């Protein structure tokens, strides 16, 4: 983070026990973001810091700003000092993580000088970076714009460029691990133009991922069933859970294929049974009869495309219901 503001710091000279100490640069580029939590979920964490020997750059982030989902509008912002705080500290000696994380702060090293942000914004861009059958990992990229800092002597440091504060990763349970229960409250929709000719494509969307079921149109016939209609997953029908770098849209999902460079990972059915039960509903006020189809996947297996691995069998999953009319 070697920026124009650093040249102002060259002028600041402080006296320490071991002689004069001159700040020549503030360089945190090669330093990782740290926090005082071991929670891999981490979205509730608000205090971050970077340490470079006797220097530290502390970020006290606005609460509830981090989320385990891709940023819908590209980025999230928080202002200094009204919502978040940024502090640059220079110490009398090398400082360690324990200085910030111990319940009782250490008496040394001493803070030689401290600058507090009085203007600027922290900008966070969140994207999904990796997905396995168990874990979904999000990367939060922090950058700082229009920064202005001041110390107790009213010495001011300003930088109108963009400073890269670094990245911080959090994790959450994957949809496969949840057996797609996170989709239970999501409505089932259908592609106007299915990506596979002669089939109906049903789907659900959540932020940066989707589930889609491509099935023969005959399985959604407008006729009540006595026994469920069935199909074979992996041949007649296909279930897909896909995760992308970005926000999934219906147009993207219903195209013939999603751009490969957008896909983070896919889980595709390799075997199993599809079971559909249909009931006829009473005519509505206009006399139109509708049919509700309940769709179940039984004893099916998914292939992790990225790992090229077939996962353990899932006994049952209710994809949802879908209504058609005559």
């Amino acid at each position: 983070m070697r920026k124009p503001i650093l040249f102002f710091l060259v002028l600041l000279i402080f006296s320490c026990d071991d002689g004069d100490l001159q700040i020549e640069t503030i360089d945190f580029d090669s330093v990782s973001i740290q926090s005082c939590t071991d929670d891999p979920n981490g979205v509730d964490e608000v205090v971050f810091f970077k340490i470079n020997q006797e220097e530290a750059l502390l970020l006290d982030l606005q609460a509830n700003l981090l989320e385990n989902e891709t940023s819908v509008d590209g980025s999230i912002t928080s202002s200094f000092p009204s919502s978040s705080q940024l502090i640059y500290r220079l110490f009398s000696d090398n400082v360690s993580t324990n200085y910030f994380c111990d319940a009782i702060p250490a008496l040394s090293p001493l803070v030689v000088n401290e600058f507090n942000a009085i203007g600027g914004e922290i900008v966070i861009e969140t994207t999904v970076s990796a997905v396995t059958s168990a874990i979904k990992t999000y990367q939060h990229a922090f950058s700082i714009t229009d920064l202005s800092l001041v110390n107790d002597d009213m010495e001011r440091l300003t930088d109108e460029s963009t400073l890269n504060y670094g990245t911080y990763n959090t994790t959450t349970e994957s949809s496969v691990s949840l057996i797609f229960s996170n989709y239970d409250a999501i409505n089932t929709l259908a592609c106007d133009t299915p990506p596979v000719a002669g089939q109906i494509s049903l789907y659900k969307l959540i932020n940066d991922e989707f589930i889609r079921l491509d099935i023969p149109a005959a399985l959604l016939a407008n006729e009540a069933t006595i026994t469920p209609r069935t199909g074979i997953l992996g041949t007649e029908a296909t279930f897909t859970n896909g995760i992308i770098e970005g926000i999934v849209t219906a147009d993207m999902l219903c195209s013939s294929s999603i751009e490969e460079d957008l896909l983070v990972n896919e889980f595709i059915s390799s075997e199993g049974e599809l079971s559909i039960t249909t009931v006829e509903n009473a005519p509505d006020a206009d006399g139109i009869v509708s049919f509700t189809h309940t769709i179940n996947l039984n004893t099916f297996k998914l292939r992790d495309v990225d790992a090229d691995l077939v996962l353990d069998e899932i006994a049952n999953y209710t994809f949802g219901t879908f209504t058609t009319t005559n």
Side-chain angles (χ1 to χ4, degrees), residues 42-182:
V43 292
D44 294 329
E45 181 63 25
V46 294
V47 178
F48 304 92
F49 54 91
K50 302 181 80 172
I51 297 172
N52 186 12
Q53 297 180 342
E54 74 278 2
E55 299 171 282
L57 198 59
L58 291 80
L59 173 63
D60 189 349
L61 194 64
Q62 178 182 341
N64 304 315
L65 206 60
L66 293 183
E67 294 184 304
N68 276 329
E69 62 178 38
T70 294
S71 304
V72 175
D73 296 322
S75 62
I76 299 170
T77 62
S78 181
S79 299
F80 302 132
S82 58
S83 301
S84 298
Q85 284 77 45
L86 184 74
I87 302 170
Y88 166 72
R89 283 180 184 167
L90 179 69
F91 292 86
S92 59
D93 201 350
N94 289 351
V95 66
S96 69
T97 301
N98 292 339
Y99 179 92
F100 300 102
C101 295
D102 285 352
I104 301 176
L107 297 177
S108 62
L110 300 176
V111 176
V112 175
N113 202 4
E114 178 174 292
F115 285 81
N116 289 267
I118 58 171
E121 280 189 333
I122 180 77
V123 180
I124 303 173
E125 294 186 7
T126 300
T127 56
V128 57
S129 59
V131 182
T132 68
S133 60
I135 295 297
K136 191 176 185 181
T137 301
Y138 282 93
Q139 184 180 83
H140 312 275
F142 297 162
S143 58
I144 298 167
T145 61
D146 299 322
L147 180 62
S148 179
L149 304 102
V150 67
N151 66 4
D152 290 341
D153 295 326
M154 300 307 295
E155 293 166 317
R156 185 184 298 263
L157 309 175
T158 60
D159 189 353
E160 295 179 355
S161 65
T162 299
L163 308 177
N164 174 26
Y165 189 75
T167 60
Y168 178 73
N169 290 340
T170 59
T171 62
T172 188
E173 200 170 357
S174 72
S175 294
V176 174
S177 180
L178 293 169
I179 313 181
F180 309 105
S181 60
N182 50 326

Side-chain angles (χ1 to χ4, degrees), residues 6-311:
L6 308 185
F7 296 104
F8 289 95
L9 291 175
V10 177
L11 303 177
L12 303 178
I13 302 176
F14 306 102
S15 177
C16 293
D17 292 340
D18 56 352
D20 291 339
L21 173 63
Q22 178 173 315
I23 305 175
E24 296 181 353
T25 62
I26 300 177
D27 185 359
F28 292 89
D29 284 353
S30 61
V31 182
S32 299
I33 293 177
Q34 299 184 62
S35 68
C36 295
T37 179
D38 293 326
D39 179 13
N41 189 41
V43 292
D44 294 329
E45 181 63 25
V46 294
V47 178
F48 304 92
F49 54 91
K50 302 181 80 172
I51 297 172
N52 186 12
Q53 297 180 342
E54 74 278 2
E55 299 171 282
L57 198 59
L58 291 80
L59 173 63
D60 189 349
L61 194 64
Q62 178 182 341
N64 304 315
L65 206 60
L66 293 183
E67 294 184 304
N68 276 329
E69 62 178 38
T70 294
S71 304
V72 175
D73 296 322
S75 62
I76 299 170
T77 62
S78 181
S79 299
F80 302 132
S82 58
S83 301
S84 298
Q85 284 77 45
L86 184 74
I87 302 170
Y88 166 72
R89 283 180 184 167
L90 179 69
F91 292 86
S92 59
D93 201 350
N94 289 351
V95 66
S96 69
T97 301
N98 292 339
Y99 179 92
F100 300 102
C101 295
D102 285 352
I104 301 176
L107 297 177
S108 62
L110 300 176
V111 176
V112 175
N113 202 4
E114 178 174 292
F115 285 81
N116 289 267
I118 58 171
E121 280 189 333
I122 180 77
V123 180
I124 303 173
E125 294 186 7
T126 300
T127 56
V128 57
S129 59
V131 182
T132 68
S133 60
I135 295 297
K136 191 176 185 181
T137 301
Y138 282 93
Q139 184 180 83
H140 312 275
F142 297 162
S143 58
I144 298 167
T145 61
D146 299 322
L147 180 62
S148 179
L149 304 102
V150 67
N151 66 4
D152 290 341
D153 295 326
M154 300 307 295
E155 293 166 317
R156 185 184 298 263
L157 309 175
T158 60
D159 189 353
E160 295 179 355
S161 65
T162 299
L163 308 177
N164 174 26
Y165 189 75
T167 60
Y168 178 73
N169 290 340
T170 59
T171 62
T172 188
E173 200 170 357
S174 72
S175 294
V176 174
S177 180
L178 293 169
I179 313 181
F180 309 105
S181 60
N182 50 326
Y183 284 90
D184 287 351
I186 308 298
N187 291 332
T188 303
L189 303 174
C191 293
D192 293 333
T193 304
V196 181
Q199 292 196 333
I200 291 177
S201 294
L202 305 177
Y203 65 88
K204 296 182 178 184
L205 306 177
I206 297 180
N207 192 247
D208 48 30
E209 68 170 86
F210 65 89
I211 54 175
R212 190 180 73 198
L213 187 61
D214 299 308
I215 62 176
L219 291 180
L220 291 185
N222 284 334
E223 182 179 342
T225 55
I226 298 174
T227 58
R229 302 184 191 95
T230 60
I232 301 174
L233 289 167
T235 54
E236 298 174 290
T238 303
F239 172 85
T240 305
N241 170 221
I243 303 92
I244 74 163
E245 290 182 355
I247 305 299
V248 179
T249 65
D251 289 342
M252 182 188 303
L253 183 60
C254 294
S255 64
S256 58
S257 62
I258 296 177
E259 294 181 25
E260 188 172 345
D261 59 347
L262 289 180
L263 278 170
V264 178
N265 202 359
E266 281 186 303
F267 302 89
I268 301 176
S269 58
S270 61
E271 60 182 86
E273 182 185 70
L274 181 68
S275 174
I276 299 177
T277 301
T278 304
V279 297
E280 181 177 339
N281 302 312
D284 64 12
D286 297 321
I288 297 175
V289 176
S290 62
F291 296 83
T292 299
H293 313 274
T294 302
I295 305 162
N296 288 284
L297 284 66
N298 305 308
T299 59
F300 69 104
K301 293 183 178 182
L302 296 171
R303 182 172 66 88
D304 181 334
V305 173
D306 190 44
D308 193 21
L309 175 69
V310 175
L311 307 177

